[in-house]
């Protein structure tokens, strides 16, 4: 048997076994996803100083969810102004300046946990810095059926 043919047979066997193992082990059911209206606005800010300045912060919380993703209604980030979003659960952060906001708009990244801190930073000598959030997309934990047998049925 030629080497390329043996290689193809090995790939087919490995792929088949992988699918069989995945089927036997099962997969957790997907999260339930909902959008929760949250009208949160920073108001309009200016920074007349020569240094970046935090001009607004807000906690956004939706109790008992696994993850959150913001949906922005509006963002004005002139100069080096930016918005920073931080997960209260694991500290992961997303910073969005005007260019990044154009790429991500109208959504943020996904964040673990049920609470986020949103901070708005006005760049030096900037005016009309603002953001507005209209909703939060949330994921509920996957449903797990309780069982007295655990994962085996003896």
């Amino acid at each position: 048997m030629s080497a390329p043919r043996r290689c193809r047979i090995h790939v087919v066997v490995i792929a088949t076994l992988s699918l069989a193992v995945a089927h036997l082990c099962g997969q957790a059911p997907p999260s339930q996803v909902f959008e929760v209206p949250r009208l949160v606005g920073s108001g309009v800010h200016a920074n007349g100083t020569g240094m970046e300045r935090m001009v607004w912060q807000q906690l956004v919380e939706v109790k008992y969810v696994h993850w959150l993703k913001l949906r922005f209604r509006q963002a004005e980030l002139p100069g080096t102004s930016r918005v920073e979003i931080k997960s209260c659960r694991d500290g992961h952060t997303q910073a969005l300046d005007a260019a990044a906001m154009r790429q991500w708009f109208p959504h943020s990244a996904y964040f673990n946990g049920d609470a986020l801190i949103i901070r708005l930073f006005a760049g030096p000598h900037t005016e009309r810095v603002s953001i507005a959030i209209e909703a939060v997309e949330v994921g509920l934990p996957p449903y797990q059926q309780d069982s007295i047998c655990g994962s085996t049925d003896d």
Side-chain angles (χ1 to χ4, degrees), residues 70-148:
L70 300 176
R71 182 160 50 94
F72 295 99
R73 180 176 45 163
Q74 168 273 333
E76 292 293 328
L77 301 169
T80 59
S81 300
R82 63 189 169 88
V83 61
E84 180 184 277
I85 308 158
K86 182 177 183 179
S87 165
C88 293
R89 175 180 288 169
D90 57 23
H92 288 151
T93 303
Q94 181 183 30
L96 299 166
D97 61 8
M101 183 62 82
R102 280 191 297 276
Q103 292 173 342
W104 283 87
F105 196 84
H107 295 103
S108 71
Y110 289 89
F111 291 91
N112 293 318
D114 63 0
L116 302 173
I117 295 176
I118 304 159
R119 292 184 175 111
L120 181 62
F121 294 87
H125 307 291
T126 54
E127 297 179 357
R128 298 187 1 219
V129 180
S130 66
I131 61 166
I133 297 160
E134 63 184 354
V136 181
E137 189 175 306
V138 301
L140 297 178
Y143 174 73
Q144 301 270 334
Q145 186 170 2
D146 292 333
S147 170
I148 60 172

Side-chain angles (χ1 to χ4, degrees), residues 5-24:
R5 182 177 165 100
R6 272 194 308 249
C7 184
R8 277 191 300 240
I9 291 172
H10 287 129
V11 169
V12 169
V13 169
I14 290 170
T16 304
L17 289 174
S18 297
L19 290 173
V21 169
H23 178 71
L24 291 174

